[in-house]
Amino acid sequence: MIYKTHFIQTLIQQAQPHWHDYVEHDFVQQLGQGTLPISRFQYYLKQDYLYLFHYNRALALAIFKAENFEQMREIHQAITVLLEEIQLHIDFCQEWEIAEQDLQNLAEDPACVAYTRYVLDCGITGGLAELYAAIAPCAIGYAEIGLRLKQQSAPNNPYQKWIDAYADESFQTAVEKYQDFLTALCQDLNPKQLANIQHIFTTATRMEVAFWQMGLDH
């Protein structure tokens, strides 16, 4: 599994059972087995495109929240990785017969609205640590899921390219840098502030569970 700092491991442990429900969700299991109905995967891809749009907005907000140029450089690197992921996502959609023009005219599912606006709210009302805690479950969870599914994936899995993208070394490395950055942001916080970081991380994890369920219920 992906390397995790002690701080990240604590966040995950205290977010149980929601973290388990997230990384072991039925949607994830069916992805790994290659049994997920295509229409459900297509719906997920469309909504994830909208999610990534707001994710990038959150990272842009993070630059505004940065306290020095070193932090700005870290965030800029994260934006670069995300923009590459978005292009990969567009390519996925085209392979699954979803035109980019259609993506730009989508109606957001309530699960997508709830999740993305929560992340942005954490960034607007809090600092850089709060914002990064809100988007941490997405980055760290997808890295964990990608590695595990690559090890367990069924032969001739139609979703193998999606799995490989999140298991890729470049994505794994970017996520390790991300969690190191979040750990550094939180190292001098007081107990009350750390409790809020945990609350944000746990809530965002619950939002991830709802996002998978959205795709499964479609």
Side-chain angles (χ1 to χ4, degrees):
M1 287 298 178
I2 183 175
Y3 156 81
K4 299 184 181 74
T5 66
H6 176 72
F7 178 68
I8 298 298
Q9 289 176 338
T10 299
L11 288 176
I12 291 173
Q13 181 180 6
Q14 295 185 6
Q16 298 292 7
H18 306 294
W19 186 266
H20 175 271
D21 294 342
Y22 164 35
V23 298
E24 299 285 350
H25 196 279
D26 284 347
F27 188 97
V28 175
Q29 302 292 346
Q30 292 180 34
L31 267 178
Q33 296 162 4
T35 58
L36 183 69
I38 291 175
S39 62
R40 294 178 181 179
F41 184 68
Q42 288 172 319
Y43 188 75
Y44 155 78
L45 280 180
K46 293 176 182 178
Q47 293 300 314
D48 199 42
Y49 173 85
L50 297 176
Y51 172 84
L52 290 173
F53 173 78
H54 292 294
Y55 195 134
N56 203 38
R57 292 178 68 206
L59 289 176
L61 176 61
I63 287 185
F64 176 78
K65 294 283 182 173
E67 298 176 353
N68 51 60
F69 281 114
E70 182 178 357
Q71 289 182 347
M72 285 183 173
R73 281 192 290 270
E74 290 285 347
I75 299 164
H76 184 268
Q77 290 176 2
I79 290 174
T80 299
V81 171
L82 181 59
L83 290 175
E84 292 174 354
E85 181 183 352
I86 290 171
Q87 185 56 54
L88 184 64
H89 198 85
I90 292 172
D91 294 342
F92 278 147
C93 288
Q94 290 175 342
E95 290 181 17
W96 289 93
E97 301 179 351
I98 303 169
E100 184 174 356
Q101 184 175 359
D102 294 338
L103 293 173
Q104 297 171 357
N105 298 309
L106 289 173
E108 281 187 84
D109 189 278
C112 186
V113 174
Y115 190 3
T116 57
R117 300 328 187 267
Y118 176 73
V119 170
L120 288 167
D121 182 66
C122 288
I124 292 169
T125 60
L128 199 53
E130 286 76 15
L131 176 54
Y132 259 61
I135 54 181
C138 177
I140 298 168
Y142 271 56
E144 180 176 327
I145 289 167
L147 277 182
R148 179 168 53 79
L149 292 189
K150 185 165 186 177
Q151 295 168 354
Q152 302 174 357
S153 184
N156 301 315
N157 189 334
Y159 307 118
Q160 191 63 49
K161 188 174 181 179
W162 184 95
I163 294 169
D164 290 342
Y166 292 106
D168 186 79
E169 183 178 354
S170 62
F171 183 78
Q172 297 289 320
T173 299
V175 172
E176 289 178 4
K177 289 181 179 179
Y178 176 94
Q179 63 174 339
D180 286 341
F181 187 51
L182 175 58
T183 299
L185 288 173
C186 296
Q187 65 182 357
D188 295 326
L189 298 185
N190 62 43
K192 183 177 180 180
Q193 291 170 320
L194 288 172
N196 187 46
I197 292 295
Q198 181 65 62
H199 172 74
I200 292 171
F201 184 91
T202 301
T203 301
T205 299
R206 292 169 52 212
M207 295 287 187
E208 283 287 355
V209 176
F211 205 87
W212 288 140
Q213 194 62 44
M214 167 203 70
L216 203 60
D217 288 345
H218 177 68

